[in-house]
């Protein structure tokens, strides 16, 4: 399939990023304040959204379906925790960029397993594109919104952070699928 044939799927990926980001953001307002769950919730939602986009919305309850779902959720949860606990905490002066890069890298690692990638060139390409996209997403957010909720208010600032970064990652996942197929 050519890139133009697959272009019709790009809005699905972008929409999944918007929905995933919005659901993640809204969870902070509607979920009970249970620390361990709040710590994994963003990754859980993003991993589920990645799985649904990857499987084109089909979910059958069997091992073949469950394993990719668990891998994507785990990779997304690990990425979320690394982004917050390492990238943001220790990534100064580019903490948003570092956090975004770690999140993108973690998602890429999960996709390597789910896509059963064996080619070292394809793996390096996937890691490079998603890590760069994650870093760009963090940088973009920090640059556009000055990295502070003061001007926007906490709710809108957090909403934009989740939605913008996830849209960029989902678009990069779509792009990577096109590039890796073409190689």
């Amino acid at each position: 399939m050519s890139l133009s044939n697959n272009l019709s799927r790009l809005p699905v990926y972008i929409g999944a990023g918007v929905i995933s980001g919005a659901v993640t953001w809204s969870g902070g307002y509607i979920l009970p304040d249970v620390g361990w769950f709040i710590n994994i919730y963003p990754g859980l939602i993003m991993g589920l959204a990645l799985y649904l986009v990857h499987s084109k919305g089909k979910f059958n309850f069997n091992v073949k379906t469950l394993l990719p779902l668990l891998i994507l959720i785990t990779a997304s949860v690990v990425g979320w925790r690394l982004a917050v606990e390492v990238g943001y905490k220790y990534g100064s002066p580019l903490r948003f960029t570092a956090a975004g890069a770690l999140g993108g890298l973690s998602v890429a690692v999960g996709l390597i397993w789910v896509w059963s990638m064996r080619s070292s060139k394809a793996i390096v390409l996937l890691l490079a594109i998603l890590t760069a996209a994650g870093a760009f997403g963090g940088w973009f957010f920090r640059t556009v919104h000055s990295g502070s909720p003061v001007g926007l208010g906490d709710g809108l600032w957090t909403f934009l952070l989740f939605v913008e970064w996830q849209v960029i990652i989902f678009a990069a996942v779509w792009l990577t699928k096109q590039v890796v197929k073409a190689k």
Side-chain angles (χ1 to χ4, degrees):
M1 280 191 190
S2 70
L3 181 62
S4 61
N5 288 344
N6 290 325
L7 199 54
S8 65
R9 294 269 311 146
L10 179 58
V12 173
Y13 280 77
I14 291 171
V18 170
I19 292 168
S20 177
V23 169
T24 300
W25 167 79
S26 66
Y29 292 100
I30 61 175
L31 294 172
D33 192 16
V34 177
W36 68 269
F37 187 69
I38 295 297
N39 284 338
I40 68 166
Y41 176 74
L44 181 85
I45 296 302
M46 185 171 179
L48 178 61
L50 281 167
Y51 173 80
L52 289 172
V53 166
H54 168 70
S55 67
K56 298 181 181 173
K58 299 174 189 154
F59 187 81
N60 299 318
F61 291 98
N62 59 42
V63 174
K64 190 175 181 181
T65 303
L66 187 60
L67 191 56
L69 174 62
L70 291 175
I71 289 169
L72 290 174
I73 287 174
T74 301
S76 296
V77 167
V78 168
W80 168 247
R81 296 315 316 151
L82 283 173
V84 172
E85 299 298 331
V86 177
Y88 185 78
K89 197 178 275 186
Y90 301 109
S92 189
L94 300 172
R95 58 184 67 213
F96 284 93
T97 304
L102 284 171
L105 175 65
S106 187
V107 168
V109 169
L111 287 171
I112 289 168
W113 277 308
V114 171
W115 290 350
S116 301
M117 296 179 81
R118 300 290 178 253
S119 163
S120 59
K121 286 182 183 179
I123 290 170
V124 168
L125 196 56
L126 172 67
L127 291 170
I129 290 172
L130 287 184
T131 302
F136 173 74
W139 173 85
F140 178 83
F141 177 78
R142 171 72 172 98
T143 301
V144 171
H145 306 295
S146 301
S148 170
V150 175
L152 295 172
D154 248 356
L156 179 57
W157 184 84
T158 307
F159 176 80
L160 292 172
L161 173 63
F162 283 130
V163 171
E164 288 173 3
W165 188 83
Q166 290 191 37
V167 164
I168 290 169
I169 287 295
F170 275 83
V173 169
W174 174 86
L175 176 65
T176 303
K177 283 185 81 170
Q178 309 318 305
V179 172
V180 169
K181 277 184 188 178
K183 295 275 177 195

